């Protein structure tokens, strides 16, 4: 048994600090309360489920961004943005297609060549027309001026 003497929200707003007193021995102590958020499971195309992995997400982004002029800080922000969208989706499970679409949106924002690289594998282009459509989608009348 304890009695709450004082309650404060942390500066970041992500935790509550409580000053307490034991009713038996009268000693004071502090407890911290934090919300525990869990990432949703990812349901793959074959129906299997796997735990979300930030390392896999980062590796996918880095592979698409290989030899592209994108700062590591930008990649970190993209990973954080995707994770925030997954957490706020309120889902316990999300399709890998949903995750892939989030990745493509971030890559499209970061680097158009990386977007095309990822899209060509992710969407499994069957012919040159599909590839051309993806290029036109991000082209905005500009040429992609690097080797993919």
């Amino acid at each position: 048994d304890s009695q709450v003497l004082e309650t404060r929200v942390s500066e970041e707003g992500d935790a509550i600090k409580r000053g307490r007193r034991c009713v038996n021995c009268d000693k004071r102590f502090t407890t911290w309360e934090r919300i525990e958020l869990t990432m949703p499971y990812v349901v793959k195309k074959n129906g299997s489920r796997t735990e979300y992995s930030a390392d896999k997400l980062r590796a996918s982004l880095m592979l698409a961004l290989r030899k592209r002029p994108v700062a590591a800080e930008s990649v970190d922000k993209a990973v954080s943005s995707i994770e925030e969208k997954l957490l706020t989706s309120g889902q316990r499970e999300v399709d890998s297609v949903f995750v892939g679409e989030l990745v493509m949106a971030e890559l499209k924002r970061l680097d158009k060549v990386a977007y095309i690289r990822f899209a060509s594998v992710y969407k499994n282009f069957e012919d040159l027309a599909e590839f051309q459509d993806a290029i036109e989608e991000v082209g905005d009348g500009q040429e992609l001026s690097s080797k993919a």
Side-chain angles (χ1 to χ4, degrees), residues 3 17 25 35 43 45 47 49 55-56 72 80 123 125-126:
Q3 178 182 19
K17 178 181 176 182
C25 67
I35 296 174
V43 181
K45 289 178 184 177
R49 287 163 176 69
D55 292 336
K56 285 182 185 179
S80 294
K123 291 186 175 182
F125 293 154
E126 295 292 328

Side-chain angles (χ1 to χ4, degrees), residues 39-57:
M39 296 299 283
Y41 276 83
V42 178
V43 181
K44 296 184 175 186
K45 289 178 184 177
N46 66 7
S48 67
R49 287 163 176 69
T50 184
E51 288 186 24
Y52 165 80
S53 170
D55 292 336
K56 285 182 185 179
L57 177 64

